[in-house]
Amino acid sequence: MRHGRRPGGGDYFPVFPYPSYNAMRAEDAVAIKAYLFALAPIERPNKAHDVAAPFSCRWTIGLWKWLFFAPGPWLDRAERDAAWNRGGYLVHALAYCGECHTARNFMGAMQPSGFLAGTSYGPDGELVPNITPDLGTGIGDLNEADIVQLLRDGTKPDYDDVQGSMAEAIRDGLGYLNDEDLNAIARYLRTVPAIVHRVESRAKN
Ligand code: HEC
């Protein structure tokens, strides 16, 4: 689990992608379970939860879900082709890009109006860039091939490398995707609404 910082300081928000995983299709959840249960068992006691109050308090999850949670799997859009829909499914559900790239409200829920528009309060206090197609403040200057390259090995068109939790997301997950899925993500990303949002460094506190 990763932690994002609360605006105004204070504790880090837990960034656990369960609201995004909720959009996962049942057959994919079943496939993940089959894979996990085929791994060699390791005997090690579980660690205690290290989530700060009020999130450590289980009953508050019910309230939070009532306020912010929209259950149900990703639904394909009939007017879009298969690649776009696959990209949308991966971005929203399995690859949960929004969990890091979207600002959160004061209760830690993603703000739908800022979907993928970046945040200064990302995991471990990181700056997370705007990845909507806005030219000035987002990634409107990257084409689909650039995005595929970046998701595959972390290199940007200027030969710089992505750092921090994005480098981890690529090393541990995105880098394993096949070309078809990477192309689908890039394709979908180019079509999300462009949001003008410059991600600034936070004032030191
Ligand atoms: C665990 C958090 C996390 C997840 C999940 C995540 N990202 Fe990122 N991403 C980051 C961070 C942090 C950066 C900034 C890295 C840096 O500064 O070098 C970043 C950078 C990027 C960039 C480079 C933007 C630029 O302006 O250079 C792109 C493109 C990107 N992410 C796309 C995605 C996509 C698409 C997904 C989902 C498939 C995704 N990210 C999932 C945290 C994340």
Side-chain angles (χ1 to χ4, degrees), residues 2 15 90-91 95-101 116 123 126-131 137-139 141-142 147 150-151 156 160-169 174 177 185-186 189:
R2 301 202 132 266
V15 179
L90 292 170
V91 164
Y96 57 85
C97 317
E99 295 285 345
C100 295
H101 282 276
L116 299 182
E126 276 175 311
L127 296 188
V128 190
N130 179 350
I131 56 167
T137 64
I139 57 166
D141 54 340
L142 302 189
I147 297 172
L150 190 147
L151 297 176
K156 301 190 199 180
D160 205 5
D161 279 339
V162 294
Q163 307 291 322
S165 62
M166 187 65 195
E168 286 173 29
L174 299 172
L177 293 181
I185 291 178
L189 265 194

Side-chain angles (χ1 to χ4, degrees), residues 5 118-122 125-128 197-202:
R5 189 109 201 247
T119 173
S120 312
Y121 299 93
E126 276 175 311
L127 296 188
V128 190
H197 177 228
R198 193 172 298 285
V199 177
E200 313 266 15
S201 305
R202 293 181 312 275

Side-chain angles (χ1 to χ4, degrees), residues 4-178:
R5 189 109 201 247
R6 279 217 313 247
D11 297 314
Y12 285 97
F13 274 130
V15 179
F16 177 63
Y18 128 88
S20 296
Y21 283 161
N22 167 67
M24 197 187 299
R25 294 187 174 123
E27 64 262 31
D28 286 330
V30 169
I32 290 174
K33 175 177 179 287
Y35 173 79
L36 289 177
F37 278 51
L39 295 174
I42 298 175
E43 195 179 327
R44 193 165 71 181
N46 275 335
K47 285 204 238 163
H49 282 267
D50 68 344
V51 181
F55 303 99
S56 54
C57 203
R58 295 280 169 117
W59 68 266
T60 59
I61 299 289
L63 178 68
W64 192 91
K65 280 170 72 170
W66 180 72
L67 287 168
F68 302 118
F69 191 60
W74 160 267
L75 295 175
D76 279 351
R77 297 251 295 269
E79 73 278 17
R80 298 286 193 166
D81 65 15
W84 185 92
N85 278 306
R86 175 75 180 160
Y89 176 55
L90 292 170
V91 164
H92 284 266
L94 292 174
Y96 57 85
C97 317
E99 295 285 345
C100 295
H101 282 276
T102 303
R104 291 172 186 273
N105 67 15
F106 75 103
M107 284 189 69
M110 282 189 275
Q111 292 175 332
S113 60
F115 186 61
L116 299 182
T119 173
S120 312
Y121 299 93
D124 298 334
E126 276 175 311
L127 296 188
V128 190
N130 179 350
I131 56 167
T132 73
D134 182 56
L135 253 185
T137 64
I139 57 166
D141 54 340
L142 302 189
N143 61 29
E144 287 182 24
D146 295 332
I147 297 172
V148 167
Q149 182 69 31
L150 190 147
L151 297 176
R152 181 183 288 128
D153 66 7
T155 47
K156 301 190 199 180
D158 59 7
Y159 300 107
D160 205 5
D161 279 339
V162 294
Q163 307 291 322
S165 62
M166 187 65 195
E168 286 173 29
I170 292 169
R171 189 196 62 206
D172 299 337
L174 299 172
Y176 291 98
L177 293 181
N178 61 27

